[in-house]
Coordinates of all heavy atoms in Angstrom, one line a residue:
M1 N -62.6 -133.1 89.1 CA -63.4 -132.0 88.7 C -64.0 -131.4 90.0 O -65.1 -131.8 90.4 CB -64.5 -132.4 87.8 CG -63.9 -132.8 86.5 SD -65.3 -133.1 85.4 CE -64.5 -133.9 84.0
S2 N -63.4 -130.4 90.6 CA -63.9 -129.8 91.8 C -65.0 -128.8 91.5 O -65.7 -128.4 92.4 CB -62.7 -129.2 92.5 OG -62.2 -128.1 91.8
G3 N -65.2 -128.4 90.3 CA -66.2 -127.4 90.0 C -67.6 -128.0 89.7 O -68.5 -127.3 89.2
Q4 N -67.8 -129.3 90.0 CA -69.1 -129.9 89.7 C -70.2 -129.3 90.6 O -70.0 -129.0 91.7 CB -69.1 -131.4 89.9 CG -68.4 -132.1 88.8 CD -68.5 -133.6 89.0 OE1 -68.7 -134.1 90.1 NE2 -68.5 -134.4 87.9
Q5 N -71.4 -129.3 90.0 CA -72.6 -128.8 90.8 C -73.1 -130.0 91.6 O -72.9 -131.2 91.2 CB -73.7 -128.3 89.8 CG -73.2 -127.1 89.0 CD -73.0 -125.9 89.9 OE1 -73.6 -125.7 90.9 NE2 -72.0 -125.1 89.5
P6 N -73.8 -129.8 92.7 CA -74.4 -130.9 93.5 C -75.3 -131.8 92.7 O -75.3 -133.0 92.9 CB -75.2 -130.2 94.6 CG -74.6 -128.8 94.7 CD -74.1 -128.5 93.3
Q7 N -76.0 -131.2 91.8 CA -77.0 -132.1 91.0 C -76.2 -133.0 90.1 O -76.5 -134.2 89.9 CB -77.9 -131.2 90.1 CG -79.0 -132.0 89.5 CD -80.0 -131.1 88.8 OE1 -79.8 -129.9 88.7 NE2 -81.1 -131.6 88.5
D8 N -75.0 -132.6 89.5 CA -74.2 -133.4 88.7 C -73.6 -134.6 89.6 O -73.5 -135.7 89.1 CB -73.1 -132.6 88.1 CG -73.5 -131.6 87.1 OD1 -74.7 -131.8 86.6 OD2 -72.8 -130.7 86.8
T9 N -73.2 -134.3 90.8 CA -72.7 -135.3 91.7 C -73.8 -136.3 92.0 O -73.5 -137.5 92.0 CB -72.2 -134.6 93.0 OG1 -71.2 -133.6 92.6 CG2 -71.6 -135.6 93.9
T10 N -75.0 -135.8 92.3 CA -76.1 -136.8 92.6 C -76.4 -137.7 91.4 O -76.5 -138.9 91.6 CB -77.4 -136.0 92.9 OG1 -77.1 -135.1 94.0 CG2 -78.5 -136.9 93.2
T11 N -76.3 -137.1 90.2 CA -76.6 -137.9 89.0 C -75.5 -139.0 88.9 O -75.8 -140.1 88.5 CB -76.6 -137.0 87.8 OG1 -77.6 -136.0 87.9 CG2 -76.8 -137.8 86.5
D12 N -74.2 -138.6 89.1 CA -73.1 -139.6 89.1 C -73.3 -140.7 90.1 O -73.1 -141.9 89.8 CB -71.8 -138.9 89.4 CG -71.3 -138.0 88.2 OD1 -71.9 -138.1 87.1 OD2 -70.4 -137.1 88.5
V13 N -73.7 -140.3 91.3 CA -74.0 -141.4 92.3 C -75.1 -142.3 91.9 O -74.9 -143.5 92.0 CB -74.3 -140.7 93.7 CG1 -74.8 -141.7 94.7 CG2 -73.1 -140.0 94.2
V14 N -76.1 -141.8 91.4 CA -77.3 -142.6 90.9 C -76.8 -143.5 89.8 O -77.2 -144.7 89.7 CB -78.5 -141.7 90.6 CG1 -79.6 -142.6 89.9 CG2 -79.0 -141.0 91.8
R15 N -76.0 -143.0 88.9 CA -75.5 -143.8 87.7 C -74.7 -145.0 88.2 O -74.8 -146.1 87.7 CB -74.7 -142.9 86.7 CG -75.6 -142.1 85.9 CD -74.8 -141.3 84.9 NE -75.6 -140.4 84.1 CZ -75.2 -139.4 83.5 NH1 -73.9 -139.1 83.5 NH2 -76.0 -138.6 82.8
W16 N -73.8 -144.7 89.2 CA -73.0 -145.8 89.7 C -73.8 -146.8 90.4 O -73.6 -148.0 90.4 CB -71.9 -145.2 90.6 CG -70.7 -144.8 89.9 CD1 -70.3 -143.5 89.7 CD2 -69.7 -145.6 89.2 NE1 -69.2 -143.4 88.9 CE2 -68.8 -144.7 88.6 CE3 -69.6 -146.9 89.1 CZ2 -67.7 -145.2 87.9 CZ3 -68.5 -147.4 88.3 CH2 -67.6 -146.5 87.8
A17 N -74.8 -146.3 91.1 CA -75.7 -147.3 91.9 C -76.5 -148.1 90.9 O -76.6 -149.3 91.1 CB -76.7 -146.5 92.7
A18 N -77.0 -147.5 89.8 CA -77.7 -148.3 88.7 C -76.7 -149.3 88.1 O -77.1 -150.5 87.8 CB -78.3 -147.4 87.7
F19 N -75.5 -148.9 87.9 CA -74.5 -149.8 87.3 C -74.3 -151.0 88.3 O -74.2 -152.2 87.8 CB -73.2 -149.1 87.1 CG -72.1 -150.0 86.7 CD1 -72.0 -150.5 85.4 CD2 -71.0 -150.2 87.5 CE1 -71.0 -151.3 85.0 CE2 -70.0 -151.0 87.1 CZ -69.9 -151.6 85.9
S20 N -74.2 -150.7 89.6 CA -74.1 -151.8 90.6 C -75.3 -152.7 90.6 O -75.1 -153.9 90.9 CB -73.9 -151.2 91.9 OG -72.7 -150.4 92.0
C21 N -76.5 -152.2 90.4 CA -77.7 -153.0 90.3 C -77.6 -154.0 89.2 O -78.3 -155.1 89.3 CB -78.9 -152.1 90.1 SG -79.3 -151.1 91.6
V22 N -76.9 -153.8 88.2 CA -76.7 -154.7 87.1 C -75.5 -155.6 87.4 O -75.5 -156.8 87.2 CB -76.6 -154.0 85.8 CG1 -76.2 -154.9 84.6 CG2 -77.8 -153.2 85.4
L23 N -74.4 -155.0 87.8 CA -73.1 -155.7 87.9 C -73.2 -156.8 89.1 O -72.7 -157.9 88.9 CB -72.0 -154.7 88.2 CG -70.6 -155.4 88.4 CD1 -70.2 -156.0 87.1 CD2 -69.6 -154.3 88.8
V24 N -73.7 -156.4 90.2 CA -73.7 -157.4 91.4 C -74.4 -158.7 91.0 O -73.9 -159.7 91.3 CB -74.2 -156.7 92.6 CG1 -74.5 -157.7 93.7 CG2 -73.3 -155.6 93.1
P25 N -75.6 -158.6 90.5 CA -76.3 -159.9 90.2 C -75.5 -160.7 89.1 O -75.5 -162.0 89.2 CB -77.7 -159.5 89.6 CG -77.9 -158.2 90.2 CD -76.6 -157.5 90.3
V26 N -74.9 -160.1 88.2 CA -74.1 -160.8 87.2 C -72.9 -161.5 87.9 O -72.7 -162.7 87.6 CB -73.6 -159.8 86.1 CG1 -72.6 -160.5 85.2 CG2 -74.8 -159.3 85.2
V27 N -72.3 -160.8 88.8 CA -71.1 -161.4 89.5 C -71.7 -162.6 90.4 O -71.0 -163.6 90.4 CB -70.4 -160.4 90.3 CG1 -69.4 -161.0 91.3 CG2 -69.7 -159.4 89.4
L28 N -72.8 -162.4 91.0 CA -73.4 -163.4 91.8 C -73.7 -164.7 91.0 O -73.4 -165.8 91.4 CB -74.6 -162.9 92.5 CG -74.4 -162.0 93.7 CD1 -75.8 -161.4 94.2 CD2 -73.6 -162.6 94.8
L29 N -74.3 -164.5 89.8 CA -74.5 -165.6 88.9 C -73.2 -166.3 88.5 O -73.1 -167.5 88.4 CB -75.3 -165.1 87.7 CG -76.8 -164.8 87.9 CD1 -77.4 -164.2 86.7 CD2 -77.6 -166.1 88.3
W30 N -72.2 -165.5 88.2 CA -70.9 -166.0 87.8 C -70.3 -166.9 88.8 O -69.7 -168.0 88.5 CB -70.0 -164.8 87.5 CG -68.6 -165.2 87.0 CD1 -67.5 -165.5 87.8 CD2 -68.2 -165.5 85.7 NE1 -66.4 -165.8 87.1 CE2 -66.8 -165.8 85.8 CE3 -68.8 -165.4 84.5 CZ2 -66.1 -166.2 84.6 CZ3 -68.1 -165.7 83.4 CH2 -66.8 -166.1 83.4
Y31 N -70.5 -166.5 90.1 CA -70.0 -167.4 91.2 C -70.9 -168.4 91.7 O -70.7 -169.0 92.8 CB -69.5 -166.5 92.4 CG -68.2 -165.8 92.1 CD1 -68.2 -164.5 91.7 CD2 -67.0 -166.5 92.2 CE1 -66.9 -163.9 91.4 CE2 -65.8 -165.9 92.0 CZ -65.8 -164.6 91.5 OH -64.6 -164.0 91.3
G32 N -72.0 -168.7 91.0 CA -72.9 -169.9 91.3 C -74.1 -169.6 92.1 O -74.7 -170.6 92.5
T33 N -74.4 -168.4 92.4 CA -75.7 -168.1 93.1 C -76.9 -168.4 92.2 O -76.8 -168.3 91.0 CB -75.7 -166.6 93.5 OG1 -74.6 -166.3 94.2 CG2 -76.9 -166.3 94.3
S34 N -78.0 -168.8 92.8 CA -79.1 -169.1 92.0 C -79.7 -167.9 91.3 O -79.4 -166.8 91.7 CB -80.2 -169.7 92.9 OG -80.7 -168.7 93.8
L35 N -80.5 -168.1 90.3 CA -81.1 -167.0 89.5 C -82.0 -166.3 90.4 O -82.1 -165.0 90.4 CB -81.8 -167.6 88.3 CG -82.5 -166.5 87.4 CD1 -81.4 -165.6 86.8 CD2 -83.2 -167.2 86.2
A36 N -82.8 -167.0 91.3 CA -83.7 -166.3 92.2 C -83.0 -165.4 93.2 O -83.4 -164.3 93.5 CB -84.5 -167.4 92.9
G37 N -81.8 -165.9 93.7 CA -81.0 -165.1 94.6 C -80.5 -163.9 94.0 O -80.5 -162.8 94.5
A38 N -80.0 -164.0 92.7 CA -79.4 -162.9 92.0 C -80.5 -161.9 91.7 O -80.3 -160.6 91.8 CB -78.7 -163.3 90.7
T39 N -81.7 -162.4 91.3 CA -82.8 -161.5 91.0 C -83.3 -160.7 92.2 O -83.6 -159.5 92.2 CB -84.0 -162.3 90.4 OG1 -83.6 -163.0 89.2 CG2 -85.2 -161.4 90.0
G40 N -83.4 -161.4 93.3 CA -83.8 -160.8 94.6 C -82.8 -159.7 95.0 O -83.2 -158.6 95.5
T41 N -81.5 -160.0 94.8 CA -80.5 -159.0 95.1 C -80.6 -157.8 94.2 O -80.5 -156.6 94.6 CB -79.1 -159.6 94.9 OG1 -78.9 -160.7 95.8 CG2 -78.0 -158.6 95.2
A42 N -80.8 -158.0 92.9 CA -81.0 -156.9 92.0 C -82.2 -156.1 92.3 O -82.1 -154.8 92.3 CB -81.2 -157.5 90.6
L43 N -83.3 -156.7 92.7 CA -84.5 -155.9 93.1 C -84.2 -155.1 94.4 O -84.7 -154.0 94.5 CB -85.7 -156.9 93.3 CG -86.2 -157.5 92.0 CD1 -87.3 -158.5 92.3 CD2 -86.7 -156.4 91.0
G44 N -83.6 -155.7 95.3 CA -83.2 -155.0 96.6 C -82.3 -153.8 96.3 O -82.6 -152.8 96.9
L45 N -81.3 -154.0 95.5 CA -80.4 -152.9 95.2 C -81.2 -151.8 94.4 O -80.9 -150.6 94.7 CB -79.2 -153.4 94.4 CG -78.2 -154.2 95.1 CD1 -77.2 -154.8 94.1 CD2 -77.5 -153.3 96.1
A46 N -82.1 -152.2 93.5 CA -82.8 -151.2 92.8 C -83.7 -150.4 93.7 O -83.9 -149.2 93.6 CB -83.7 -151.9 91.7
A47 N -84.3 -151.1 94.7 CA -85.2 -150.4 95.7 C -84.4 -149.4 96.5 O -84.8 -148.3 96.7 CB -85.9 -151.4 96.6
V48 N -83.2 -149.9 97.0 CA -82.4 -149.0 97.8 C -81.9 -147.8 97.0 O -81.9 -146.6 97.4 CB -81.2 -149.8 98.4 CG1 -80.1 -148.8 99.0 CG2 -81.6 -150.7 99.4
T49 N -81.6 -148.0 95.7 CA -81.1 -147.0 94.8 C -82.2 -146.0 94.6 O -82.0 -144.7 94.6 CB -80.6 -147.5 93.5 OG1 -79.6 -148.4 93.7 CG2 -80.2 -146.4 92.5
A50 N -83.5 -146.4 94.4 CA -84.6 -145.5 94.2 C -84.8 -144.7 95.4 O -85.1 -143.4 95.3 CB -85.8 -146.3 93.8
V51 N -84.8 -145.2 96.6 CA -85.0 -144.5 97.8 C -83.9 -143.5 98.0 O -84.2 -142.3 98.3 CB -85.2 -145.4 99.0 CG1 -85.1 -144.7 100.3 CG2 -86.4 -146.3 98.9
C52 N -82.7 -143.9 97.8 CA -81.6 -142.9 98.0 C -81.7 -141.8 97.0 O -81.4 -140.6 97.3 CB -80.2 -143.7 97.8 SG -79.8 -144.7 99.2
R53 N -82.0 -142.1 95.7 CA -82.2 -141.0 94.7 C -83.3 -140.1 95.1 O -83.1 -138.8 95.1 CB -82.6 -141.7 93.4 CG -82.8 -140.6 92.3 CD -83.2 -141.3 91.0 NE -83.3 -140.3 89.9 CZ -84.5 -139.7 89.6 NH1 -85.5 -139.9 90.4 NH2 -84.5 -138.8 88.7
F54 N -84.4 -140.6 95.6 CA -85.5 -139.7 96.1 C -85.0 -138.8 97.2 O -85.3 -137.6 97.2 CB -86.7 -140.6 96.6 CG -87.8 -139.8 97.2 CD1 -88.6 -139.0 96.5 CD2 -87.9 -139.8 98.6 CE1 -89.6 -138.3 97.1 CE2 -88.9 -139.1 99.3 CZ -89.8 -138.3 98.5
L55 N -84.3 -139.4 98.2 CA -83.8 -138.6 99.4 C -82.8 -137.6 98.9 O -82.8 -136.4 99.4 CB -83.2 -139.5 100.4 CG -84.2 -140.4 101.1 CD1 -83.5 -141.4 102.1 CD2 -85.3 -139.6 101.9
L56 N -81.9 -137.9 98.0 CA -80.9 -136.9 97.5 C -81.6 -135.8 96.8 O -81.2 -134.6 97.0 CB -79.9 -137.6 96.5 CG -78.8 -138.4 97.2 CD1 -78.1 -139.3 96.1 CD2 -77.8 -137.6 97.9
R57 N -82.6 -136.1 96.0 CA -83.3 -135.0 95.3 C -84.1 -134.1 96.3 O -84.1 -132.9 96.1 CB -84.3 -135.6 94.3 CG -83.7 -136.4 93.2 CD -82.9 -135.6 92.2 NE -82.3 -136.4 91.2 CZ -81.3 -136.1 90.5 NH1 -80.6 -135.0 90.7 NH2 -80.9 -136.9 89.5
Q58 N -84.7 -134.7 97.3 CA -85.4 -133.9 98.3 C -84.4 -133.0 99.0 O -84.7 -131.8 99.3 CB -86.0 -134.8 99.3 CG -87.3 -135.5 98.8 CD -88.4 -134.6 98.7 OE1 -88.7 -134.1 97.6 NE2 -89.1 -134.3 99.8
S59 N -83.2 -133.5 99.3 CA -82.2 -132.7 100.0 C -81.7 -131.6 99.1 O -81.5 -130.5 99.6 CB -81.0 -133.6 100.3 OG -80.0 -132.9 100.9
E60 N -81.6 -131.8 97.8 CA -81.2 -130.7 96.9 C -82.2 -129.7 96.9 O -81.9 -128.5 96.9 CB -81.0 -131.3 95.5 CG -79.7 -132.1 95.3 CD -79.6 -132.6 93.9 OE1 -80.6 -132.7 93.2 OE2 -78.5 -133.1 93.6
R61 N -83.5 -130.1 96.8 CA -84.6 -129.1 96.7 C -84.6 -128.3 98.0 O -84.8 -127.0 98.0 CB -85.9 -129.8 96.5 CG -86.1 -130.1 95.1 CD -87.6 -130.6 94.8 NE -87.5 -131.7 94.0 CZ -87.9 -133.0 94.3 NH1 -88.4 -133.2 95.4 NH2 -87.8 -133.9 93.4
G62 N -84.5 -128.9 99.2 CA -84.5 -128.2 100.4 C -83.3 -127.3 100.6 O -83.5 -126.1 101.0
A63 N -82.1 -127.7 100.1 CA -81.0 -126.8 100.1 C -81.2 -125.6 99.2 O -80.8 -124.4 99.6 CB -79.7 -127.5 99.8
A64 N -81.7 -125.8 98.0 CA -82.0 -124.7 97.1 C -83.0 -123.7 97.7 O -82.9 -122.5 97.6 CB -82.5 -125.3 95.8
R65 N -84.0 -124.3 98.3 CA -85.1 -123.4 98.9 C -84.5 -122.6 100.1 O -84.7 -121.4 100.2 CB -86.2 -124.3 99.4 CG -87.4 -123.5 99.9 CD -88.6 -124.4 100.2 NE -88.4 -125.6 100.9 CZ -88.5 -126.8 100.3 NH1 -89.0 -126.9 99.1 NH2 -88.3 -127.9 100.9
L66 N -83.6 -123.2 100.9 CA -83.0 -122.5 102.0 C -82.1 -121.4 101.5 O -82.1 -120.3 102.0 CB -82.2 -123.5 102.9 CG -81.5 -122.9 104.1 CD1 -82.6 -122.4 105.1 CD2 -80.7 -124.0 104.8
L67 N -81.3 -121.7 100.4 CA -80.4 -120.7 99.9 C -81.2 -119.6 99.3 O -80.8 -118.4 99.4 CB -79.6 -121.4 98.8 CG -78.5 -120.5 98.2 CD1 -77.5 -120.2 99.3 CD2 -77.8 -121.3 97.0
A68 N -82.4 -119.8 98.6 CA -83.2 -118.8 98.1 C -83.8 -117.9 99.2 O -83.8 -116.7 99.1 CB -84.3 -119.4 97.2
E69 N -84.2 -118.5 100.3 CA -84.8 -117.8 101.4 C -83.7 -116.9 102.0 O -83.9 -115.8 102.4 CB -85.4 -118.7 102.4 CG -86.7 -119.3 102.0 CD -87.2 -120.4 103.0 OE1 -86.5 -120.5 104.1 OE2 -88.2 -121.0 102.7
E70 N -82.5 -117.5 102.2 CA -81.4 -116.7 102.8 C -81.0 -115.5 101.9 O -80.8 -114.5 102.4 CB -80.2 -117.7 102.9 CG -79.3 -117.4 104.1 CD -78.3 -118.5 104.2 OE1 -77.3 -118.4 103.4 OE2 -78.4 -119.4 105.0
H71 N -81.0 -115.8 100.6 CA -80.7 -114.7 99.7 C -81.7 -113.6 99.7 O -81.4 -112.4 99.6 CB -80.5 -115.3 98.3 CG -80.1 -114.3 97.3 ND1 -78.8 -113.7 97.3 CD2 -80.7 -113.7 96.2 CE1 -78.7 -112.8 96.3 NE2 -79.9 -112.8 95.6
A72 N -83.0 -114.0 99.8 CA -84.1 -113.0 99.8 C -84.1 -112.2 101.0 O -84.5 -111.0 101.0 CB -85.4 -113.7 99.6
S73 N -83.7 -112.7 102.2 CA -83.7 -112.0 103.4 C -82.5 -111.2 103.7 O -82.5 -110.4 104.6 CB -84.0 -113.0 104.6 OG -82.8 -113.8 104.8
R74 N -81.5 -111.4 102.9 CA -80.2 -110.6 103.1 C -80.3 -109.3 102.4 O -80.8 -109.1 101.3 CB -79.1 -111.4 102.4 CG -77.7 -110.9 102.8 CD -76.6 -111.8 102.2 NE -76.8 -113.2 102.5 CZ -76.3 -114.2 101.8 NH1 -75.5 -113.9 100.8 NH2 -76.5 -115.4 102.1
P75 N -79.8 -108.2 103.1 CA -79.8 -106.9 102.5 C -78.9 -106.9 101.3 O -77.9 -107.7 101.2 CB -79.3 -105.9 103.6 CG -78.6 -106.8 104.5 CD -79.2 -108.2 104.4
P76 N -79.1 -106.0 100.3 CA -78.3 -106.0 99.1 C -76.8 -105.7 99.5 O -76.5 -104.9 100.4 CB -78.8 -104.9 98.3 CG -79.9 -104.2 99.1 CD -80.1 -105.0 100.3
H77 N -75.9 -106.3 98.8 CA -74.5 -106.1 99.0 C -74.0 -104.8 98.4 O -74.2 -104.5 97.3 CB -73.7 -107.3 98.4 CG -72.2 -107.3 98.6 ND1 -71.7 -107.4 99.8 CD2 -71.2 -107.1 97.7 CE1 -70.4 -107.3 99.7 NE2 -70.1 -107.1 98.5
R78 N -73.3 -104.0 99.2 CA -72.9 -102.7 98.8 C -71.5 -102.7 98.3 O -71.0 -101.6 97.9 CB -73.1 -101.7 99.9 CG -74.5 -101.5 100.3 CD -74.6 -100.6 101.5 NE -74.1 -99.3 101.1 CZ -74.6 -98.2 101.4 NH1 -75.6 -98.1 102.2 NH2 -74.0 -97.0 101.0
G79 N -70.7 -103.7 98.4 CA -69.4 -103.8 98.0 C -68.4 -103.4 99.2 O -68.8 -102.9 100.2
R80 N -67.2 -103.7 99.0 CA -66.3 -103.5 100.1 C -65.9 -102.1 100.4 O -65.4 -101.8 101.4 CB -65.0 -104.4 99.9 CG -64.2 -104.0 98.8 CD -63.0 -104.9 98.7 NE -61.8 -104.2 99.1 CZ -60.6 -104.7 99.1 NH1 -60.4 -105.9 98.7 NH2 -59.6 -104.0 99.4
H81 N -66.1 -101.2 99.4 CA -65.7 -99.8 99.6 C -66.8 -98.9 100.2 O -66.7 -97.8 100.4 CB -65.2 -99.2 98.3 CG -64.0 -99.9 97.8 ND1 -62.8 -99.7 98.4 CD2 -63.8 -100.7 96.8 CE1 -61.9 -100.4 97.8 NE2 -62.5 -101.0 96.8
H82 N -67.9 -99.5 100.6 CA -69.0 -98.8 101.1 C -69.4 -99.2 102.5 O -70.5 -99.1 103.0 CB -70.3 -99.0 100.2 CG -70.1 -98.4 98.9 ND1 -70.1 -97.1 98.6 CD2 -69.9 -99.0 97.7 CE1 -69.9 -96.9 97.3 NE2 -69.8 -98.1 96.7
R83 N -68.4 -99.7 103.2 CA -68.6 -100.1 104.6 C -68.7 -98.8 105.5 O -68.0 -97.9 105.2 CB -67.5 -101.0 105.1 CG -67.4 -102.3 104.4 CD -66.4 -103.1 105.1 NE -66.0 -104.2 104.2 CZ -64.9 -104.9 104.3 NH1 -64.1 -104.7 105.3 NH2 -64.7 -105.9 103.4
A84 N -69.4 -98.9 106.5 CA -69.5 -97.9 107.5 C -69.5 -98.5 108.9 O -69.9 -99.6 109.1 CB -70.7 -97.0 107.2
G85 N -69.3 -97.7 109.9 CA -69.4 -98.1 111.3 C -68.1 -98.4 111.9 O -67.0 -98.1 111.4
A86 N -68.1 -99.0 113.0 CA -66.9 -99.3 113.8 C -66.0 -100.2 113.0 O -66.4 -101.1 112.4 CB -67.3 -100.0 115.1
G87 N -64.7 -99.8 113.1 CA -63.7 -100.7 112.5 C -63.5 -100.3 111.0 O -62.6 -100.9 110.4
S88 N -64.2 -99.4 110.5 CA -63.9 -99.0 109.1 C -62.7 -98.1 109.0 O -62.4 -97.3 109.9 CB -65.2 -98.4 108.4 OG -65.4 -97.1 109.1
H89 N -62.0 -98.2 107.9 CA -60.8 -97.4 107.7 C -61.1 -96.2 107.0 O -61.8 -96.2 106.0 CB -59.8 -98.3 106.9 CG -59.4 -99.5 107.6 ND1 -58.5 -99.5 108.7 CD2 -59.8 -100.8 107.4 CE1 -58.4 -100.8 109.1 NE2 -59.1 -101.6 108.4
R90 N -60.6 -95.1 107.4 CA -60.8 -93.8 106.8 C -59.4 -93.2 106.5 O -58.5 -93.2 107.3 CB -61.6 -92.9 107.7 CG -63.0 -93.4 107.9 CD -63.8 -92.3 108.6 NE -65.1 -92.9 108.9 CZ -65.6 -93.3 110.0 NH1 -64.8 -93.3 111.1 NH2 -66.8 -93.8 110.2
A91 N -59.3 -92.6 105.3 CA -58.1 -91.9 104.9 C -58.0 -90.5 105.5 O -59.0 -90.0 105.9 CB -58.0 -91.9 103.4
G92 N -56.8 -90.0 105.5 CA -56.6 -88.6 106.0 C -55.9 -88.5 107.3 O -55.5 -89.5 107.9
R93 N -55.6 -87.3 107.7 CA -54.8 -87.1 109.0 C -55.7 -87.2 110.2 O -56.9 -86.9 110.1 CB -54.1 -85.8 108.9 CG -53.1 -85.7 107.8 CD -52.4 -84.3 107.9 NE -51.4 -84.3 107.0 CZ -50.2 -83.8 107.2 NH1 -50.0 -83.2 108.4 NH2 -49.2 -83.8 106.3
H94 N -55.1 -87.7 111.2 CA -55.8 -87.7 112.5 C -55.6 -86.4 113.3 O -54.5 -85.9 113.3 CB -55.3 -88.9 113.4 CG -55.5 -90.2 112.7 ND1 -56.7 -90.9 112.7 CD2 -54.7 -91.0 112.0 CE1 -56.6 -92.0 112.0 NE2 -55.4 -92.1 111.6
S95 N -56.6 -85.9 113.8 CA -56.4 -84.7 114.6 C -56.0 -85.1 116.1 O -56.5 -86.0 116.6 CB -57.7 -83.8 114.6 OG -58.7 -84.6 115.2
G96 N -55.2 -84.2 116.7 CA -54.7 -84.5 118.0 C -53.9 -85.7 118.1 O -53.0 -85.9 117.2
G97 N -54.0 -86.6 119.0 CA -53.3 -87.8 119.1 C -52.1 -87.7 119.9 O -51.9 -86.8 120.6
N98 N -51.2 -88.7 119.8 CA -50.0 -88.8 120.6 C -48.8 -88.4 119.8 O -47.9 -89.2 119.7 CB -49.9 -90.2 121.2 CG -51.0 -90.5 122.1 OD1 -51.5 -89.6 122.8 ND2 -51.4 -91.8 122.2
T99 N -48.7 -87.3 119.3 CA -47.5 -86.9 118.5 C -46.6 -86.1 119.5 O -47.0 -85.5 120.4 CB -47.9 -85.9 117.3 OG1 -48.6 -84.8 117.8 CG2 -48.8 -86.7 116.3
P100 N -45.3 -86.2 119.2 CA -44.3 -85.6 120.1 C -44.5 -84.1 120.2 O -44.3 -83.5 121.3 CB -43.0 -86.0 119.6 CG -43.2 -87.1 118.6 CD -44.6 -87.0 118.2
G101 N -44.8 -83.4 119.2 CA -44.9 -82.0 119.2 C -46.3 -81.5 119.5 O -46.5 -80.3 119.5
G102 N -47.3 -82.3 119.6 CA -48.6 -81.9 119.6 C -49.2 -81.6 120.9 O -49.9 -80.7 121.2

């Protein structure tokens, strides 16, 4: 799904991280790690997930604010047929020029 919004992507990342916070300690217990070790790992993963979620949200807000400022400072778009200045194309005959009979 290439049309996802950044916020949806962030939500997906946080969901996978939360899933890992549950899955990793279960796997550790399955392979014989102590309950205290698995609990410590779960708490550590939860802390890292919370910090990453906070930083991702801050980044989204900053990007949205920057986009809004950029949009506010940009002159209104006039469309492609209202260009003027050097390099613009104009229809009609050219006067003078390098014609053989001219």
Side-chain angles (χ1 to χ4, degrees):
M1 291 184 190
S2 62
Q4 282 188 336
Q5 299 295 327
Q7 190 170 11
D8 294 339
T9 304
T10 302
T11 301
D12 289 345
V13 169
V14 171
R15 284 182 184 162
W16 276 107
F19 175 71
S20 297
C21 288
V22 173
L23 181 65
V24 169
V26 169
V27 170
L28 288 173
L29 286 173
W30 181 268
Y31 282 101
T33 304
S34 68
L35 182 61
T39 302
T41 301
L43 291 174
L45 287 172
V48 168
T49 300
V51 169
C52 288
R53 180 181 180 272
F54 172 76
L55 292 173
L56 282 168
R57 298 293 183 203
Q58 287 288 97
S59 176
E60 284 178 346
R61 282 190 222 116
R65 185 171 42 248
L66 181 64
L67 187 63
E69 288 174 4
E70 213 174 79
H71 183 68
S73 66
R74 191 178 309 160
H77 182 66
R78 296 178 60 142
R80 67 181 251 182
H81 296 291
H82 295 285
R83 293 183 199 166
S88 62
H89 299 281
R90 295 188 180 105
R93 295 183 173 221
H94 298 279
S95 61
N98 295 329
T99 57

